[in-house]
Amino acid sequence: MLSYPDFKTKKLIIIFANEGEHFSFKNDNLLVKNRDDEIILQDTCHRILSLWIVGHGSITTGLLERSKRFGFSIYHLNINFRPLGVWNAVTEGNTLLRQKQYLHTDLDLAAFFVANKLKSQLALLKSTRKKSDELKDAIKKITTYLSQLSEPLTLEQMMGIEGNSARLYFKNWFDNIEWIGRKPRTKCNPVNTLLDIGYTQLFYFIEALLNLFGFDLYKGFLHQTFYQRKSLVCDFQEPFRPIVDKVIKHGFNLGQIKEEDFTIRQGQYQLSFKAARQYTAWILPAILKEKDHIFLYIQNFYRSFMRDRPIEDYSHYYFLEGVK
């Protein structure tokens, strides 16, 4: 199983294949070449955590073979980061972990993920220097919602708390733009499109880490089993979403987000291929800046879960502070 010191040396590599980039190998090194066959990236396969191929490109048997040998996942995505295909590197045979997942029916871990999400939302809202009366009221209400999670609740009640908190949170965090509400996957405006892209990048990064421990990605604790949904990845994603929210608002404030970078097809906003690379260059680094905290959070969860520790002993992720 991957240790933290080993993880720190790992890299996430993104290739935008529509620009003519392609792969070759030299010994145990992955080489990325441009259309003129010039090397633009070279790194040892030992240091690759995950390889993302964006756009239309070819995946060779040599690449798949090295993925299995060196334990890195491959994600083939379109320009808006929708999956075209996934080749996961999975720690196989962790039957004890999966058995414990299947037998766990308590709602303590569901409450754990919701509470951690609310703590991250509160931390981001509190980081606002000049707080309006409306923002102060939202912080107070979300704090009240957080305290309610310490009481015995049904899953429906927890999801109700999460939904109420999210509405207050998004309205007050994106108060400087024309906010029409969070509408996942509808891509009805630039901010919702970028949130989808940022959350998708976060999702795949967390998925790659969970695979290293041998979790069943389809068996969640908060997000219940639903056909073909990786519910456990959805669970772990929740506390880290404000990473994406912060960088996207920052992009609006700096004027990095421009209407002309998007095309509208059937009522949906989509980034052009050229713009997708530019936006990835400032969205993804915000996620990778927190990669150590994400790894330590998952590692602590794994160890606590396997050792049947009480929920009070599980580490939380505190946005802007780390894992404690």
Side-chain angles (χ1 to χ4, degrees):
M1 195 165 294
L2 188 69
S3 67
Y4 178 56
D6 289 337
F7 169 76
K8 287 177 70 66
T9 68
K10 297 287 187 177
K11 297 180 179 180
L12 190 157
I13 297 176
I14 299 183
I15 307 300
F16 286 81
N18 276 27
E19 297 189 359
E21 297 170 348
H22 56 280
F23 310 102
S24 64
F25 297 93
K26 184 177 181 180
N27 299 323
D28 289 340
N29 291 308
L30 170 68
L31 280 64
V32 182
K33 298 182 178 181
N34 61 19
R35 57 168 54 93
D36 297 320
D37 217 34
E38 299 170 331
I39 297 175
I40 58 175
L41 183 148
Q42 178 175 341
D43 213 330
T44 173
C45 292
H46 293 280
R47 284 204 293 259
I48 301 175
L49 172 69
S50 185
L51 174 66
W52 297 1
I53 302 169
V54 183
H56 298 289
S58 298
I59 297 177
T60 65
T61 55
L63 183 59
L64 297 178
E65 186 272 330
R66 285 169 175 82
S67 165
K68 289 300 183 182
R69 190 200 311 172
F70 295 101
F72 60 86
S73 299
I74 301 172
Y75 296 87
H76 196 182
L77 314 164
N78 71 7
I79 60 173
N80 283 285
F81 284 80
R82 288 183 177 176
L84 300 174
V86 178
W87 180 263
N88 274 321
V90 181
T91 297
E92 298 176 321
N94 198 339
T95 55
L96 179 58
L97 168 61
R98 295 194 172 202
Q99 184 180 41
K100 291 175 73 69
Q101 274 187 267
Y102 303 148
L103 295 177
H104 191 94
T105 57
D106 293 343
L107 295 177
D108 53 348
L109 291 175
F112 167 81
F113 284 113
V114 176
N116 207 169
K117 180 178 184 178
L118 266 59
K119 289 178 181 179
S120 291
Q121 291 175 338
L122 281 170
L124 188 54
L125 292 178
K126 288 178 180 179
S127 70
T128 304
R129 291 184 180 180
K130 294 183 179 180
K131 298 180 179 64
S132 65
D133 289 340
E134 185 176 6
L135 175 55
K136 292 177 182 177
D137 184 59
I139 290 173
K140 185 181 297 184
K141 287 180 178 177
I142 295 175
T143 302
T144 300
Y145 291 145
L146 179 61
S147 67
Q148 292 173 358
L149 290 168
S150 61
E151 304 170 2
L153 299 172
T154 65
L155 185 62
E156 289 73 19
Q157 289 171 323
M158 291 181 201
M159 297 303 289
I161 288 173
E162 187 275 335
N164 290 334
S165 174
R167 281 187 285 274
L168 285 170
Y169 164 75
F170 279 116
K171 179 182 178 182
N172 284 276
W173 180 244
F174 290 112
D175 61 341
N176 62 328
I177 65 173
E178 189 178 346
W179 180 250
I180 61 173
R182 173 67 184 131
K183 301 182 185 300
R185 295 174 296 280
T186 62
K187 298 183 177 10
C188 55
N189 60 5
V191 66
N192 270 289
T193 296
L194 292 176
L195 286 173
D196 282 351
I197 290 173
Y199 292 158
T200 299
Q201 294 174 355
L202 176 63
F203 184 95
Y204 292 140
F205 182 70
I206 291 175
E207 178 181 339
L209 295 185
L210 288 172
N211 272 321
L212 296 176
F213 290 88
F215 285 98
D216 183 339
L217 304 183
Y218 295 90
K219 181 64 174 71
F221 301 102
L222 171 63
H223 294 82
Q224 298 298 287
T225 303
F226 186 79
Y227 182 69
Q228 290 296 311
R229 180 176 70 183
K230 296 175 180 176
S231 298
L232 187 68
V233 187
C234 297
D235 286 355
F236 276 92
Q237 185 183 32
E238 296 297 354
F240 300 99
R241 288 178 183 268
I243 299 170
V244 176
D245 305 334
K246 181 183 179 183
V247 72
I248 289 178
K249 181 174 180 177
H250 189 59
F252 271 103
N253 292 341
L254 292 178
Q256 293 175 297
I257 299 170
K258 301 178 176 63
E259 190 83 19
E260 57 266 28
D261 292 333
F262 297 83
T263 58
I264 303 176
R265 296 180 181 177
Q266 297 180 338
Q268 292 191 333
Y269 282 73
Q270 298 180 3
L271 280 174
S272 66
F273 184 82
K274 181 179 180 180
R277 186 166 192 163
Q278 296 171 349
Y279 281 62
T280 298
W282 54 264
I283 295 176
L284 187 60
I287 297 172
L288 296 182
K289 185 179 179 181
E290 295 292 308
K291 73 183 185 74
D292 287 5
H293 293 146
I294 298 173
F295 177 85
L296 290 172
Y297 183 82
I298 294 173
Q299 183 188 64
N300 174 269
F301 184 98
Y302 172 78
R303 291 174 174 175
S304 299
F305 186 64
M306 292 296 287
R307 296 170 184 172
D308 296 315
R309 289 175 176 169
I311 198 67
E312 295 79 16
D313 290 351
Y314 283 64
S315 291
H316 282 247
Y317 171 71
Y318 293 86
F319 186 63
L320 306 176
E321 296 182 36
V323 177
K324 299 180 182 177

